[in-house]
Amino acid sequence: MVARSAGRSPVWLVAVWGATRLLLLLFVLKVLVFPGPDVTSDVSVIYRDWYEVLRTGAFPSDDVTWQYPPAAAFAVLAPALLPFLAYATAFFVLACAVDAAVLALLWRAGRGSGRSPRGAWVWVVGVPLLGPTVYARYDLMVTAVAVAALLAAGRHPRVAGALAAVGALLKVWPALVLVGMGGRRPWVAAAVGGAGLAGLFAVTMPGAFAFLTFQRERGVEVESLGALVFHVARHFGWEGGVLLNYGSMEFLGPHVDTVSTVSMGLSAAAFGWLLLWRVRAARSPGPRSSRSRSRSPESPAQPSEPSESRSPELRPSRSPSSRSRFAAHTAADAAFVAVLLFTVTSRVISPQYLVWLVGLAAVCRCFRASRMRVPVALVLAASLVTVLEFPLLFADVVASTPLGIALLAVRNGLLVTAALVGARALWRGTVRRGSAGGRPGASGPGISRAPSADSPATAG
């Protein structure tokens, strides 16, 4: 009883959040020293230099380390909101404030029938597992936008689409939160909002899309899945090496282009799988209500309450398409799997990428019907290993020592396993066998195998 009340009460949640976030702030403010290389230099040096350029109304297009979409300027310029603090200090304080805002969103989303406070706990525990790096990059702010988009999808699909567009212009990947959203409204809102904002940047600020060239020319970063090939090859006479390239430590040398091409091919295959899943899941009959499941053909229909007395979110759609719409947790599960797939197939897996996964994992666990329990646990384990390989033992990773290789193999292995398990669970939970031909009544699992409180076609 005590453990259950602790899980539902915000007191313990806030207490643990406060203690862990105070520790993170002490590390990034250098009151306490975290072992390994200084992770705050990106903010105090690189972001600060970009800030000075962006203030002039132009993007730092001559700096190859600027590899971000134009809306990233908002995050870099944000410390100006706290002019009484030094730039780096203001950035860290804002990161902590955004962290708190995400917690509030997740706590609110976890209340009610069919919901769970475990999502908020995943965020509280998962973020500090990544160490001070999580406050020293703007990825936490991007994750906040993606979390807000997913949680808005059910009641405010246009808002969700607009937030996804803003997120995509912050760091591209939040566009993937759209993959599991039903209906046209979020997609139209994202397209219109994204095009409008991108056009505004293109017209008003020179160099808005120079980042596309820099991203295309990147190599294989030392922490990526493909990098394991070269870590091992160095022990067998491979003639390449590791250099600081486009702002990160990357392998350069023979066959790097080949591995890079394979990685991009795997990303394309992941996109193809997601597209196939979307088509097949959309053709599968949606979940029926528990009332219709329990009624036998012989039993007379029971009078139901007037539809006007139900809230819009719980009122079933009378359109035929409602039978192929996704359950509430599907948008979160699909977004989580999509980002997992593109993370493990990427040429770069920087430590801060894990905060994306932690945020989406937290949204999944807000729904009791989510099928991502095991992948979420694997991502949390991978987050713990990540802080060991960076920054604690990053020198071993760069030098391709046996310890460094082992850490990368474990971390990347956990992420690959999470992606595969998550993809399988998503497919089995949403695609009916034989749904390709659109046959009604085909056997197999539907959108939700059992009725749940989140069976309406919403996502938040």
Side-chain angles (χ1 to χ4, degrees):
M1 181 65 71
V2 175
R4 184 174 181 179
S5 62
R8 294 185 177 276
S9 171
V11 176
W12 282 102
L13 193 72
V14 173
V16 175
W17 181 90
T20 53
R21 275 39 177 198
L22 175 60
L23 197 58
L24 288 178
L25 284 173
L26 291 176
F27 281 131
V28 293
L29 294 173
K30 299 183 180 179
V31 177
L32 299 176
V33 178
F34 199 83
D38 181 14
V39 300
T40 65
S41 59
D42 276 35
V43 175
S44 59
V45 179
I46 299 176
Y47 286 16
R48 172 70 185 183
D49 290 345
W50 291 342
Y51 172 81
E52 296 297 339
V53 175
L54 290 167
R55 289 177 62 188
T56 67
F59 286 93
S61 54
D62 294 331
D63 186 349
V64 296
T65 61
W66 176 262
Q67 300 170 16
Y68 308 109
F74 295 147
V76 176
L77 291 170
L81 297 172
L82 303 175
F84 49 89
L85 295 176
Y87 179 86
T89 302
F91 186 93
F92 302 143
V93 170
L94 288 172
C96 186
V98 171
D99 184 354
V102 174
L103 175 62
L105 288 174
L106 292 168
W107 170 252
R108 184 175 183 273
R111 303 176 66 184
S113 178
R115 303 301 179 93
S116 170
R118 292 186 180 91
W121 277 107
V122 167
W123 180 256
V124 167
V125 173
V127 169
L129 287 178
L130 296 169
T133 305
V134 75
Y135 273 13
R137 305 290 188 272
Y138 83 94
D139 295 79
L140 191 145
M141 302 172 186
V142 183
T143 303
V145 175
V147 167
L150 282 173
L151 294 178
R155 298 179 179 180
H156 309 287
R158 292 187 180 90
V159 173
L163 287 171
V166 172
L169 287 171
L170 279 167
K171 208 164 187 180
V172 181
W173 70 264
L176 294 171
V177 303
L178 291 167
V179 72
M181 293 186 188
R184 296 180 180 178
R185 286 180 293 175
W187 292 83
V188 172
V192 173
L197 187 56
L200 181 63
F201 276 117
V203 170
T204 60
M205 296 184 70
F209 296 96
F211 77 98
L212 294 172
T213 300
F214 301 147
Q215 278 289 346
R216 186 173 62 248
E217 296 175 354
R218 294 194 71 167
V220 176
E221 193 256 348
V222 295
E223 296 163 284
S224 65
L225 182 62
L228 284 169
V229 174
F230 300 111
H231 282 295
V232 175
R234 293 176 86 178
H235 292 271
F236 294 91
W238 182 65
E239 297 178 353
V242 176
L243 292 174
L244 181 63
N245 189 50
Y246 288 94
S248 65
M249 302 302 292
E250 297 182 353
F251 279 113
L252 298 175
H255 309 298
V256 170
D257 288 342
T258 301
V259 172
S260 179
T261 301
V262 170
S263 295
M264 290 188 287
L266 290 173
S267 295
F271 177 81
W273 183 89
L274 286 168
L275 182 61
L276 176 63
W277 167 79
R278 173 81 191 192
V279 172
R280 293 286 298 275
R283 292 178 177 176
S284 297
R288 294 175 295 172
S289 67
S290 58
R291 180 175 300 172
S292 64
R293 289 175 184 265
S294 60
R295 186 185 302 154
S296 63
E298 293 79 11
S299 61
Q302 298 296 322
S304 60
E305 59 181 319
S307 61
E308 290 76 8
S309 66
R310 304 176 188 175
S311 66
E313 290 79 20
L314 296 180
R315 190 181 303 155
S317 172
R318 296 183 180 180
S319 64
S321 63
S322 66
R323 287 179 294 178
S324 64
R325 296 160 83 183
F326 299 152
H329 63 277
T330 304
D333 288 358
F336 181 52
V337 169
V339 175
L340 265 171
L341 289 171
F342 279 95
T343 298
V344 299
T345 59
S346 173
R347 294 173 294 172
V348 180
I349 305 182
S350 296
Q352 62 268 24
Y353 290 13
L354 272 292
V355 75
W356 313 347
L357 299 172
V358 169
L360 299 181
V363 178
C364 290
R365 296 299 276 130
C366 286
F367 297 95
R368 296 187 186 277
S370 172
R371 296 176 174 272
M372 296 297 131
R373 291 173 177 82
V374 173
V376 166
L378 291 171
V379 164
L380 292 178
S383 299
L384 179 59
V385 180
T386 295
V387 79
L388 296 179
E389 63 93 357
F390 184 90
L392 290 176
L393 298 170
F394 192 57
D396 288 271
V397 172
V398 173
S400 302
T401 67
L403 177 58
I405 295 174
L407 286 172
L408 279 183
V410 171
R411 194 280 300 273
N412 291 344
L414 287 168
L415 292 178
V416 170
T417 303
L420 295 177
V421 172
R424 181 175 183 269
L426 179 66
W427 185 279
R428 289 176 60 120
T430 54
V431 178
R432 283 184 181 270
R433 297 186 185 96
S435 63
R439 293 188 296 110
S443 61
I447 294 289
S448 286
R449 296 189 180 187
S452 64
D454 72 337
S455 60
T458 62

